[in-house]
Amino acid sequence: MAGKNTALDTTMVFAAQYLIYVFAAYLAYTWLAKNEYRQEALFAGYASILGLGINFIITQFYFHPRPFMVPTGTLLITHAAESSFPSDHATVMFSVSLMLLTFISLRRSGAIFFMLALISGLARVYSGLHFPMDIAGSLLVASLSIVILLALKNYLTPINRIFIAYFEIIEKKLTKSDLKTS
């Protein structure tokens, strides 16, 4: 279907390339504006970093060409000719959304972001960047990163508290200096 409908192609290219920034903006907002969820924001960040690390290891041992390298389908987004399995974009988005789903207070956000991750993953297939199994592999990698982090949660939580406390000290100092200059 790619290349036959300009409006659909534009929508899919946007979803494939730019939805990931919505995830980053949400985590930044959660960190900066919703102080009570800083712990959760850190865990979501860890999940995406761990997922990308697992992807890196996989690509060191397994190469799978992208659809345009085979060639098959219609390419809507130019991309380097590198391994397509698993998708880094999808791994980050699935990791963040799955981690948010593990926190009761953020389940609604997690469900919304999981749907956005699915949409973006499908858009990456539609745009000729990935095969469907690349996206499924990303979901598997994200799930593995969540399992690992949940196993380490009791060790990471005290470290997060220290990091958050230091951030809050800096934040208070910056706020005080802003008030003095006003």
Side-chain angles (χ1 to χ4, degrees):
M1 290 175 35
K4 295 180 181 168
N5 181 316
T6 306
L8 182 59
D9 289 351
T10 302
T11 302
M12 293 302 226
V13 166
F14 175 83
Q17 286 189 299
Y18 301 110
L19 273 183
I20 195 167
Y21 296 112
V22 174
F23 286 68
Y26 178 77
L27 290 182
Y29 166 75
T30 302
W31 178 263
L32 295 171
K34 299 206 170 227
N35 299 352
E36 69 272 18
Y37 296 122
R38 286 184 172 157
Q39 188 83 243
E40 291 84 347
L42 283 173
F43 273 103
Y46 296 157
S48 62
I49 292 167
L50 181 57
L52 288 174
I54 294 169
N55 281 2
F56 177 77
I57 293 167
I58 290 170
T59 59
Q60 298 307 301
F61 297 99
Y62 178 72
F63 178 86
H64 192 272
R66 291 181 179 272
F68 63 86
M69 296 165 68
V70 174
T72 186
T74 302
L75 182 63
L76 299 178
I77 301 169
T78 57
H79 198 285
E82 58 189 20
S83 185
S84 70
F85 182 87
S87 165
D88 287 341
H89 271 78
T91 298
V92 167
M93 291 184 284
F94 282 129
S95 295
V96 169
S97 63
L98 290 175
M99 184 52 80
L100 293 176
L101 282 168
T102 67
F103 299 108
I104 293 169
S105 55
L106 294 175
R107 282 213 176 119
R108 181 174 292 144
S109 297
I112 291 167
F113 281 106
F114 186 80
M115 295 305 296
L116 290 176
L118 280 174
I119 290 167
S120 182
L122 292 173
R124 291 185 74 75
V125 172
Y126 179 93
S127 299
L129 296 174
H130 289 285
F131 291 102
M133 290 308 294
D134 300 337
I135 306 306
S138 296
L139 180 56
L140 191 64
V141 167
S143 299
L144 176 62
S145 72
I146 300 308
V147 168
I148 291 169
L149 285 171
L150 290 177
L152 297 173
K153 189 174 183 181
N154 291 336
Y155 300 103
L156 291 171
T157 300
I159 295 167
N160 287 353
R161 285 188 188 125
I162 294 168
F163 183 71
I164 291 167
Y166 278 118
F167 178 81
E168 288 173 351
I169 290 168
I170 294 167
E171 184 180 42
K172 284 178 185 172
K173 286 183 180 182
L174 290 174
T175 331
K176 282 182 183 178
S177 68
D178 284 347
L179 291 175
K180 287 179 184 177
T181 59
S182 297

